[in-house]
Amino acid sequence: MVANEKTADRVIGKWRMYETVDFQNNDDSAAVKCNVCPEVEFSKNYTGFIKSADAGLFYFKWKIDNDALVIHQNKNGQTNDIMNDGNYKLTLFDNIPIKEMSLTDTVRNIKYILSK
């Protein structure tokens, strides 16, 4: 099994996005906790979906590319304001009993923190 497959195995499953951190130009950041957290599910066949608080489902394809998680959404006329398409710097934490994952969008300067 190659490193990307091992990382993918750790990503597969249901996650909750419980916090976003918006970095400003001066390195200040604003963390926002979710009241009603969106669910993000990564499937074994490299597809997944984001379930928003208003029960909308946004489908995507994903892959691991070195230390990045690449997301490409199936648009179908939908607009998803939760997570954009793109490459996210992936950091996995094996905290017990809760596992966490951090996805950093270096273009928009936003970090998403998910827990499992």
Side-chain angles (χ1 to χ4, degrees):
M1 183 181 288
V2 297
N4 285 357
E5 289 176 356
K6 287 181 183 174
T7 302
D9 285 346
R10 294 176 61 199
V11 169
I12 290 168
K14 291 182 182 181
W15 298 81
R16 285 208 180 270
M17 184 182 303
Y18 72 90
E19 184 175 36
T20 59
V21 181
D22 194 352
F23 295 97
Q24 310 300 321
N25 290 336
N26 58 2
D27 288 338
D28 286 342
S29 64
V32 178
K33 301 259 189 223
C34 299
N35 287 334
V36 180
C37 301
E39 293 176 14
V40 183
E41 185 165 331
F42 297 92
S43 300
K44 289 180 183 181
N45 65 354
Y46 296 97
T47 62
F49 63 85
I50 299 169
K51 183 177 181 184
S52 67
D54 64 3
L57 287 177
F58 304 99
Y59 295 93
F60 60 86
K61 293 180 181 174
W62 66 278
K63 68 178 181 178
I64 301 295
D65 185 8
N66 295 322
D67 65 345
L69 173 71
V70 182
I71 292 180
H72 181 76
Q73 298 183 41
N74 305 343
K75 296 288 190 235
N76 298 335
Q78 296 177 304
T79 52
N80 168 11
D81 60 354
I82 299 168
M83 282 176 66
N84 286 354
D85 286 358
N87 296 3
Y88 292 86
K89 182 176 183 276
L90 173 64
T91 309
L92 291 160
F93 303 97
D94 279 324
N95 301 333
I96 307 291
I98 297 169
K99 294 185 185 300
E100 287 186 339
M101 171 170 43
S102 163
L103 300 175
T104 305
D105 182 335
T106 56
V107 175
R108 293 174 53 217
N109 287 326
I110 297 175
K111 178 172 23 178
Y112 302 97
I113 301 172
L114 294 83
S115 67
K116 186 176 190 180

